[in-house]
Amino acid sequence: MDARSIADALIVAERERKAIAPFTDAAPDLDADTAYQAQRMVVQHRLDRGERVIGAKLGLTSRAKQEAMGVHEPLYGWLTSGMVHPSGEPLPLGELIHPRVEPEIAFLIGRELTAPATITSVLEATEAVFAAVEVLDSRYEEFRFRLPDVIADNASASRIVLGPRARAADELCDLRLLGCVLRARGDVVATAAGGAVMGHPAAAVAWLVNKLSPEDWRLERGALVLSGGLTAPVPMRPGSVVSAEFDGLGTVDVYS
Ligand code: OOG
Ligand code: MG
């Protein structure tokens, strides 16, 4: 199974809003390298339509997410300009397949970061920390996938909603202890702290930089990085209202 045909099938699935079976059903030895190649093609397709890369996302960096998805390794994907959803506007369910939302801590990088990156170097290079809600929309039926499938699908990336406040990391509490309360129609459905993500959300950003260092890649000034869902995701259906409230970073509301 080659990267081009995987990418093409994912591009069609997204365009037609029709989920497909995961590739590893038929090709169980699909490897991560081929999958990342397909991911680059999927992202390139967005760039060819006039979008630009605005940053990166980490996926499956918390135990809650790994257990919810049954995949026990992290991965990365790319955020593009067309994914930014204005906060306060309803999610366009008609453009999506079966969206789910999850609370995340986002980093705005103020200074180029190179490997070896650490929690300390990431914090030092961070201009601001934001609350975020990521809207996922797997191109696979029922969000059923193995690691190579979800890599190729750009880590299920679909939309992002940023929170109302940009704060310097040192103005906030220790990010490991930064609390988040997730509500659906007012009911608390999950709670978490920043430490849910790899022990410290900046560790996820460092993982990305170190993972990509053999490719001579660096995280540029101005990049936005989503460090990964803190809790299991919540499905968005007609009439859903989900709010993610973060200590010191405000509340992000998403509704449809
Ligand atoms: C894969 C994307 C994972 C996260 O934050 O864990 C992700 C998925 O759950 O569909 O974005
Ligand atoms: Mg996510």
Side-chain angles (χ1 to χ4, degrees):
M1 184 135 255
D2 68 301
R4 185 70 261 168
S5 53
I6 291 172
D8 287 344
L10 288 166
I11 290 166
V12 172
E14 179 173 9
R15 186 174 64 224
E16 297 184 349
R17 275 173 270 128
K18 199 167 179 319
I20 56 179
F23 297 100
T24 55
D25 280 2
D29 13 312
L30 179 63
D31 60 87
D33 285 348
T34 308
Y36 274 116
Q37 258 179 43
Q39 181 193 89
R40 279 198 287 275
M41 294 170 179
V42 164
V43 173
Q44 186 60 45
H45 176 74
R46 288 180 164 267
L47 306 186
D48 293 343
R49 288 183 319 188
E51 294 188 46
R52 61 197 171 79
V53 173
I54 58 166
K57 61 165 285 184
L58 284 307
L60 309 179
T61 49
S62 68
R63 182 179 287 261
K65 275 303 311 258
Q66 293 186 348
E67 280 174 4
M69 308 321 293
V71 176
H72 297 272
E73 269 178 80
L75 74 158
Y76 63 83
W78 302 101
L79 302 175
T80 60
S81 44
M83 295 178 182
V84 179
H85 179 75
S87 100
E89 288 192 15
L91 267 191
L93 288 191
E95 294 173 15
L96 306 171
I97 306 171
H98 45 195
R100 295 179 173 180
V101 295
E102 57 192 17
E104 305 214 8
I105 295 172
F107 291 76
L108 178 67
I109 303 301
R111 234 181 307 131
E112 183 182 272
L113 249 171
T114 49
T118 61
I119 291 170
T120 312
S121 72
V122 169
L123 289 176
E124 220 179 43
T126 296
E127 183 166 315
V129 177
F130 291 84
V133 165
E134 181 177 25
V135 182
L136 299 169
D137 199 26
S138 175
R139 270 56 67 172
Y140 301 112
E141 293 154 0
E142 285 154 20
F143 274 77
R144 186 174 65 80
F145 46 67
R146 295 194 178 89
L147 183 66
D149 302 300
V150 64
I151 289 172
D153 190 23
N154 197 26
S156 310
S158 177
R159 305 292 160 100
I160 48 179
V161 185
L162 288 176
R165 301 181 70 178
R167 300 283 301 273
D170 61 7
E171 282 175 26
L172 292 162
C173 67
D174 183 332
L175 295 187
R176 292 173 299 182
L177 303 180
L178 193 139
C180 169
V181 178
L182 187 68
R183 295 187 177 83
R185 286 206 157 271
D187 291 332
V188 175
V189 290
T191 56
V197 163
M198 291 185 169
H200 191 304
V205 183
W207 180 88
L208 171 75
V209 172
N210 295 332
K211 173 99 178 160
L212 282 167
S213 72
E215 309 196 17
D216 202 26
W217 175 88
R218 44 203 58 205
L219 190 55
E220 283 170 16
R221 177 184 151 78
L224 181 73
V225 184
L226 289 187
S227 56
L230 296 166
T231 69
V234 178
M236 290 299 287
R237 304 197 175 91
S240 291
V241 183
V242 174
S243 85
E245 184 175 9
F246 290 81
D247 189 9
L249 293 173
T251 301
V252 189
D253 296 309
V254 184
Y255 67 102
S256 52

